[in-house]
Amino acid sequence: MTRLAAGVVLVTAHEPALDPEGPGGDDVGMTATAFMSVSLDPPLVLVSLREGSRMDDLLAEQPLWAVSVLSESQRHIAGRFAMKGRISDRLLFEDIPYVRGEIAGAPLVGGALATLECRTEQRMAAGDHTLVIGRVLTAHVPSADGGPLTYFKGRYRQLG
């Protein structure tokens, strides 16, 4: 499957605070290459999450999430959120420009080619992954600059 080129997205969600009186919760993010459009009517997308990952666990509880379609200039963001044994998500978001989605409250990366906010419609176990189908609640094309970031033969690449 390394011979199949894929677009690269950042999937994000906001984990609410456990204590309503305490700090405002945490933002969680993960790089994904297994992301696709499923349906136009209704608008549905699918993302594949490693079973038991922090994002899989969070989206089992939190139905709202977001997607930023990364541009070729955002390779550093993809690499940062794909690291294993990484630092806290709070530090990963620290110097990345983003806005908070109006519905999901999750980070939407500045400079992304497109951003979506979604609500989980269905979850399916698939081997060592969970397939999450989300209904698109909002979609924006904030930037038309540059091409898409792609992943091919185990490396991030640019078209052309």
Side-chain angles (χ1 to χ4, degrees), residues 80-81 83 86-94 96:
R80 178 183 295 191
F81 284 90
M83 290 186 306
R86 61 186 198 209
I87 58 176
S88 78
D89 284 85
R90 181 170 291 151
L91 293 175
L92 294 176
F93 282 105
E94 196 168 76
I96 295 174

Side-chain angles (χ1 to χ4, degrees), residues 39-63:
S39 168
L40 291 177
D41 188 17
L44 300 173
V45 293
L46 177 145
V47 65
S48 180
L49 308 174
R50 186 174 36 82
E51 184 181 291
S53 67
R54 183 165 183 204
M55 188 63 74
D56 183 36
D57 292 344
L58 176 56
L59 294 190
E61 301 293 324
Q62 162 61 280

Side-chain angles (χ1 to χ4, degrees), residues 67-128:
V67 176
S68 298
V69 178
L70 299 180
S71 72
E72 60 196 3
S73 66
Q74 294 177 314
R75 178 185 303 218
H76 65 288
I77 295 172
R80 178 183 295 191
F81 284 90
M83 290 186 306
K84 291 186 172 141
R86 61 186 198 209
I87 58 176
S88 78
D89 284 85
R90 181 170 291 151
L91 293 175
L92 294 176
F93 282 105
E94 196 168 76
D95 62 346
I96 295 174
Y98 67 86
V99 296
R100 213 163 269 293
E102 57 198 58
I103 295 174
L108 299 167
V109 176
L113 297 178
T115 59
L116 309 169
E117 289 186 277
C118 305
R119 181 184 61 239
T120 299
E121 294 271 311
Q122 190 174 0
R123 292 172 54 88
M124 294 165 280
D128 61 358

